[in-house]
Amino acid sequence: MVGAARVRRVYEDYWRDQPCDPQPWRLAWRRGLLLAELRDGEEWLDLGCGAGRFLTLAARGVGVDVAPAAVDRAREHADARLLAGDGTLPLEHGSVDVVWCSETLEHVADTLGLLQEARRVLRPGGRLIVTTPAHPWLRRVALAALRFDAHFDPRGQHLRFFTRRSLAGMLAAAGFEVDRIHTRHATLVARAVRGR
């Protein structure tokens, strides 16, 4: 629990220093990914919702973030149910159709635990959409040669670094059926389904 409290404190400090309504990275592109996945009437979770910008795009969304300061920001922008939580997600089993986890996994110490929680809150057949920075072979070589210390600084916010294979393995370990993983804009985009 000490680790969870420390992570919450780091992100509380981060959100206190952010502008009131920060522009998410590649908002238009990520908006398109989310809206292409949502169907009318579906309930969905923005896991790692930050200031809630994605929650303004579609009805029936729920936002969860580790930092209460982020949830407070989201309340100013989004007309959605918003919850602070770490570890166990504060949602019922099988309560949502889609989990949107965009630019979040790389910040999480217990990635497998978070993905298992995402699976738990999804209905059977529900979909998980993940975006996270890509680390393909050529990028890893360039980082190792030129920017290893800066990129992998242990004081940085990115705790995990994924390749297509490592992300597929993590999703499978959490009990998901991986539908597809591709790279776009130096970002891995994964779609996985919760089986029965």
Side-chain angles (χ1 to χ4, degrees):
M1 200 53 148
V2 172
R6 189 171 298 142
V7 168
R8 185 174 36 258
R9 189 170 53 247
V10 165
Y11 285 102
E12 279 290 288
D13 292 345
Y14 170 82
W15 279 104
R16 282 194 193 101
D17 293 338
Q18 290 301 301
C20 180
D21 186 18
Q23 175 84 7
W25 179 80
R26 292 206 184 269
L27 175 62
W29 172 66
R30 290 166 61 204
R31 174 191 308 133
L33 289 174
L34 174 60
L35 292 178
E37 189 61 45
L38 292 176
R39 299 176 191 137
D40 286 341
E42 286 189 322
E43 296 182 53
W44 64 284
L45 168 64
D46 185 350
L47 182 53
C49 69
R53 184 67 75 94
F54 291 100
L55 289 164
T56 65
L57 302 177
R60 305 190 71 155
V62 177
V64 174
D65 201 283
V66 67
V71 171
D72 290 343
R73 294 273 180 95
R75 283 192 177 105
E76 296 173 16
H77 306 104
D79 183 21
R81 183 172 158 212
L82 293 151
L83 306 161
D86 56 11
T88 303
L89 293 175
L91 297 170
E92 298 293 322
H93 295 305
S95 58
V96 297
D97 300 290
V98 174
V99 172
W100 169 250
C101 186
S102 184
E103 305 306 303
T104 299
L105 283 185
E106 64 273 15
H107 301 278
V108 176
D110 183 9
T111 306
L112 180 59
L114 183 69
L115 288 171
Q116 289 170 329
E117 276 295 287
R119 185 181 185 283
R120 180 186 67 78
V121 302
L122 276 169
R123 294 183 176 109
R127 288 107 50 218
L128 169 70
I129 310 303
V130 171
T131 72
T132 190
H135 283 76
W137 181 83
L138 190 54
R139 184 175 189 189
R140 292 191 311 262
V141 169
L143 287 170
L146 304 172
R147 294 189 28 98
F148 186 89
D149 286 340
H151 191 75
F152 296 103
D153 186 339
R155 295 166 296 181
Q157 290 186 9
H158 287 190
L159 305 177
R160 299 280 182 256
F161 302 91
F162 294 97
T163 64
R164 187 181 302 213
R165 185 179 349 190
S166 66
L167 181 57
M170 185 65 72
L171 292 169
F176 285 98
E177 298 171 14
V178 177
D179 182 35
R180 66 180 173 269
I181 298 177
H182 67 277
T183 303
R184 179 92 189 266
H185 302 302
T187 303
L188 288 170
V189 180
R191 183 183 191 275
V193 178
R194 180 193 187 275
R196 299 264 166 211

